[in-house]
Amino acid sequence: MKTPPSRTLFLSGMDVKVYPDSESAAAAAALLIEQAIVDAGGKRGKAVLGLATGTTPKRVYAHLVDRHRAGALSFRDVSTYNLDEYHPIAPNDPPSYHYYMHEHLFKHVDLAPDRAHVLDGTIPEAFAADHAALFERFIEADSGLDAQLLGIGRNGHIGFNEPCDLSPREAVALKTRLVELHPTTKADAAAEFGSLDRVIPKALTLGIATILSARLIIMLATGGHKAEAVAAALRGPMTAQLPASLLAHAAARVIWLLDPAAARGLDGA
Ligand code: GLP
């Protein structure tokens, strides 16, 4: 059942919807993805999704799987591209995003294996730039992303685009590439890897330019630990020190879905 937002805001040109709880925010994200599949399918005969990992989107995938099981949603004419992947990592290693996507979505739905694209954590580092460029070409050849699902790191990262010293203009031009993880990101991944010293310190990530090119960008953030990054990103200014603030560059195509805890820093907005 669809729960309406309890609050709607417009900040830095972006739509922000605050839901009564994290569950209804995740359900709203799943509904937007389903609509994107249906709309793009109707217009072009296929839909192209950008997908995210982490704790936050797990409930989104659970909703999509439920809809598929109910016979209400098919992925037959869908292609997916994931935001990021650790490097180096094997696809059957549980912290890998290949493994995550398989567990939470791919193995439960009728998505063709050759249309479920995740950056390859086994690519030799010397070929990482070629692989990243090829991934971008796949997305372009597929006619671009209809919808990009995003989460936010506590440090404001999107995908694995970490805080950096570039100007906003340079940062919004960043392409898909191999990056070093920020200390906050490594600390947050420690539980997933078992301990901080086992966290893989590099990753492949879709670039900010690639993310911003999506026709719809769905940012889902839940929990009080995201409140500071969410408020700074939505209040602006745009800065590469807080990559999520750069979503304002594509403001008209961005929607933020929050729970009350993640929206806490917006009080008075
Ligand atoms: C990871 C992923 C991001 C994700 C973020 C938040 O670092 N690379 O794409 O958005 O963490 O994850 P969580 O939802 O677990 O808080």
Side-chain angles (χ1 to χ4, degrees):
M1 209 193 60
K2 188 176 180 285
T3 308
S6 43
R7 228 172 133 202
T8 303
L9 303 162
F10 191 63
L11 294 168
S12 300
M14 295 179 280
D15 275 326
V16 182
K17 294 187 193 303
V18 185
Y19 286 85
D21 49 41
S22 60
E23 178 57 31
S24 47
L31 191 61
L32 285 176
I33 291 172
E34 182 172 336
Q35 276 165 0
I37 293 175
V38 173
D39 291 352
K43 275 188 212 139
R44 294 203 320 278
K46 67 172 182 183
V48 183
L49 303 178
L51 299 179
T53 52
T55 309
T56 319
K58 286 182 184 172
R59 290 299 305 152
V60 179
Y61 298 133
H63 279 285
L64 294 174
V65 170
D66 284 349
R67 293 284 291 158
H68 174 69
R69 286 191 176 138
L73 177 64
S74 171
F75 289 77
R76 210 179 34 239
D77 299 320
V78 174
S79 299
T80 65
Y81 291 89
N82 260 80
L83 260 181
D84 44 19
E85 176 60 293
Y86 293 103
H87 186 279
I89 197 162
N92 59 351
D93 195 345
S96 82
Y97 291 161
H98 275 81
Y99 189 92
Y100 172 108
M101 288 310 301
H102 190 69
E103 287 302 305
H104 293 286
L105 184 67
F106 298 162
K107 76 177 183 190
H108 305 290
V109 297
D110 57 344
L111 175 68
D114 61 344
R115 291 193 185 164
H117 308 283
V118 184
L119 285 152
D120 186 355
T122 71
I123 207 86
E125 186 160 335
F127 292 93
D130 288 344
H131 175 60
L134 195 58
F135 203 76
E136 301 237 345
R137 283 180 52 200
F138 281 14
I139 296 174
E140 280 164 30
D142 237 345
S143 58
L145 300 167
D146 290 301
Q148 173 67 60
L149 177 63
L150 278 185
I152 185 170
R154 276 194 304 135
N155 62 1
H157 75 204
I158 46 175
F160 275 130
N161 292 282
E162 300 284 26
C164 67
D165 291 331
L166 296 176
S167 69
R169 181 198 285 259
E170 291 165 329
V172 297
L174 283 171
K175 296 293 213 172
T176 300
R177 66 208 185 284
L178 185 67
V179 296
E180 303 258 354
L181 301 189
H182 186 270
T184 306
T185 304
K186 286 192 267 192
D188 286 349
E192 215 175 315
F193 281 92
S195 65
L196 183 57
D197 58 318
R198 283 157 72 177
V199 175
I200 295 174
K202 288 190 185 181
L204 290 155
T205 184
L206 229 61
I208 294 178
T210 328
I211 293 169
L212 294 179
S213 71
R215 290 184 270 277
L216 173 68
I217 300 170
I218 306 160
M219 164 59 91
L220 176 65
T222 57
H225 59 305
K226 301 291 174 70
E228 212 176 306
V230 166
L234 282 169
R235 288 181 189 284
M238 280 197 265
T239 165
Q241 287 297 340
L242 195 91
S245 68
L246 301 168
L247 293 177
H249 192 76
R253 288 178 277 118
V254 181
I255 179 161
W256 289 69
L257 305 175
L258 308 175
D259 72 349
R264 208 171 46 206
L266 302 177
D267 286 343

